[in-house]
Amino acid sequence: MEWRGTLCLTLLACGLHAAEPDAWRLIRSPHFEIYSQAGNDAAARAMALHLEQLRTLVALHTGIDLDSRPAVRVMGFRSAAEYDPYRVRQSSNAYYVGSESRDYIVMAGLDSGHFGLAAHEYAHAVLRATGADLPPWLREGLAEVLSTVRISARGSAIGGDLPARLQALKHEGWIPLADLLAANTEGGFISPSAFYAKSWEVADLVLLAPDYAPRFPQFVSALARQVPSSEAFASVYGKSLTAVETDLRRRRRVPIALGNTAPAAVEVTASDLPPFRASLFLAEIVTLTGDFSHAESMYRSLEQDAPGDPDVAVGYGALALREGKPDAARQHWKAAIVRGATDAVLCFRYAVLANQAGVPPDEIRPALVRAIDLKPGFDDARYLLALLESNAGNHEAAVKQLRAMRQIAQIGRAHV
């Protein structure tokens, strides 16, 4: 009988070990939610504090309104092997994905060696908050520059060399600036490694070089208006691409002190995250990456585990919308609301789809009322409800909603 007891203990131990990858912890700070699969709260706390300090620096030196977005979710896996099923590029151990209402940073690990990667991906969340549509080379270049930020008790600094990018530039040889401006991260005229390296080199120049930095805001403004990069260099800096390339060759990169801008005492809490919730987040991430078949498989499994859960219906709806199936999305979101979903944005997005589909006002009104109950300052929901009431002849109700708004919305602000 002794061998049987040993076998049972062995099988139990194996079962516990197999379940470990599903064990997640949540480390929450004011502006970040760090989801750690590694079971290492210390590393997750350090990541949260590092990102809070980075956020303080970005807000102070750019003036970007970062409060308009919810807390950034950082998913940190136990290892590269655990990360692999969610990897989007073979060469990358981290990436950013976002939607209208959520930012995710997905990483193979959370230790201090990943701080630079986290900073790079956080830059994409910052750029999303600006709403600016910038060319790929500047988006990735600025993210690379942000990854050079060093934070210590003595102060912070940005800039300086990135050895791996310098090595790529040395290996590739001189890359014409025109080739970079015509390329993107998925390919084009230069290799991905050369793209990131050259993007960093040029972004460092326009953001930090004394002759370029003062006019950087005007440069970004021009690019956001879809002015071609070559024309923006000429109009803002009065320089041809050849002149910019000369400046790149002469550039000596040195770290620039940013001073001691540590945030006030940051409260960090820790709690367990049920595997079901972690799987929901991962399914949302997979949806945002565009791997729709994988996402659908994950949602099917989740629905089997928790039939009738409103968040599963929310996820199904988001997947359907990204697949170009608005009617299916509307039905899933209607089911989520019936099941008790408490997301004001979801209620509003359902109402927009329903309105576009010609659903009777009496079926749309409850969703908008719920959105406003959940979020009284939701001007877009109030505006759409005012239009709905006005079109139905309920003018007094329409005026009531308009008067409750903080600012009058523009026609067309309502979007999915």
Side-chain angles (χ1 to χ4, degrees):
M1 295 295 290
E2 183 178 350
W3 70 270
R4 290 182 180 177
T6 302
L7 178 61
C8 288
L9 289 173
T10 301
L11 290 174
L12 177 60
C14 290
L16 289 174
H17 179 72
E20 280 184 341
D22 289 330
W24 289 82
R25 292 274 287 168
L26 166 59
I27 305 299
R28 190 193 300 271
S29 66
H31 305 103
F32 296 90
E33 297 172 357
I34 313 296
Y35 297 92
S36 171
Q37 191 189 33
N40 184 350
D41 282 7
R45 285 176 180 270
M47 179 63 76
L49 292 174
H50 178 77
L51 288 171
E52 288 288 352
Q53 289 178 300
L54 188 64
R55 183 185 187 277
T56 298
L57 286 171
V58 169
L60 179 67
H61 290 279
T62 67
I64 295 171
D65 177 15
L66 299 175
D67 292 328
S68 60
R69 303 284 290 178
V72 177
R73 288 176 177 166
V74 180
M75 305 294 291
F77 286 88
R78 184 191 309 277
S79 65
E82 300 283 355
Y83 168 77
D84 276 343
Y86 308 96
R87 186 185 295 273
V88 293
R89 284 189 296 274
Q90 194 59 38
S91 60
S92 176
N93 280 332
Y95 60 91
Y96 163 84
V97 287
S99 66
E100 297 80 1
S101 58
R102 180 61 64 186
D103 298 296
Y104 280 103
I105 295 173
V106 187
M107 306 182 68
L110 292 173
D111 59 75
S112 60
H114 289 81
F115 282 178
L117 283 174
H120 176 111
E121 303 308 336
Y122 179 59
H124 292 298
V126 171
L127 291 172
R128 180 118 197 181
T130 69
D133 184 14
L134 301 177
W137 73 266
L138 187 57
R139 292 200 305 269
E140 296 300 337
L142 291 176
E144 287 290 280
V145 174
L146 193 62
S147 76
T148 67
V149 168
R150 297 294 178 264
I151 301 171
S152 70
R154 292 175 295 178
S156 306
I158 188 172
D161 287 336
L162 287 175
R165 298 309 184 198
L166 286 175
Q167 186 62 33
L169 290 172
K170 182 178 179 180
H171 174 75
E172 296 283 343
W174 182 253
I175 302 164
L177 183 53
D179 286 358
L180 172 72
L181 304 183
N184 59 54
T185 55
E186 305 302 323
F189 297 93
I190 56 180
S191 69
S193 62
F195 173 83
Y196 282 100
K198 189 71 175 181
S199 294
W200 158 68
E201 185 184 41
V202 181
D204 176 89
L205 177 78
V206 296
L207 182 65
L208 302 179
D211 291 344
Y212 285 79
R215 282 176 280 178
F216 179 70
Q218 296 97 301
F219 185 62
V220 170
S221 178
L223 294 175
R225 298 195 307 270
Q226 304 305 304
V227 174
S229 298
S230 58
E231 293 181 20
F233 275 112
S235 62
V236 175
Y237 296 112
K239 291 178 179 283
S240 66
L241 294 188
T242 300
V244 176
E245 288 180 325
T246 298
D247 291 340
L248 286 171
R249 286 190 175 95
R250 294 173 177 172
R251 172 97 169 117
R252 290 183 66 254
R253 288 172 293 271
V254 295
I256 298 173
L258 298 175
N260 190 349
T261 54
V266 175
E267 182 181 355
V268 178
T269 61
S271 60
D272 290 328
L273 180 72
F276 178 80
R277 307 310 301 178
S279 295
L280 269 174
F281 295 158
L282 291 171
E284 183 178 3
I285 288 168
V286 172
T287 298
L288 292 172
T289 65
D291 190 352
F292 298 147
S293 60
H294 185 188
E296 186 170 358
S297 174
M298 294 180 73
Y299 283 122
R300 280 200 302 269
S301 178
L302 286 164
E303 191 156 42
Q304 290 175 356
D305 292 340
D309 187 283
D311 289 334
V312 176
V314 172
Y316 263 130
L319 174 60
L321 193 63
R322 287 191 168 262
E323 289 180 308
K325 303 173 182 176
D327 289 341
R330 176 167 50 83
Q331 293 302 325
H332 285 302
W333 285 345
K334 180 179 180 179
I337 294 170
V338 169
R339 294 173 186 177
T342 57
D343 184 338
V345 175
L346 165 75
C347 296
F348 171 69
R349 297 180 74 194
Y350 162 76
V352 172
L353 285 180
N355 190 49
Q356 292 172 346
V359 172
D362 287 346
E363 294 184 33
I364 303 174
R365 185 180 292 105
L368 290 171
V369 170
R370 179 180 290 188
I372 294 166
D373 286 343
L374 292 167
K375 186 179 177 182
F378 202 160
D379 283 354
D380 282 345
R382 287 191 182 278
Y383 183 68
L384 186 56
L385 182 56
L387 285 179
L388 197 76
E389 299 291 14
S390 179
N391 291 337
N394 303 323
H395 301 301
E396 185 175 343
V399 170
K400 179 181 177 181
Q401 294 302 325
L402 291 174
R403 285 178 173 169
M405 292 170 57
R406 292 167 297 178
Q407 59 182 22
I408 298 300
Q410 299 296 320
I411 293 177
R413 269 181 65 184
H415 55 82
V416 177

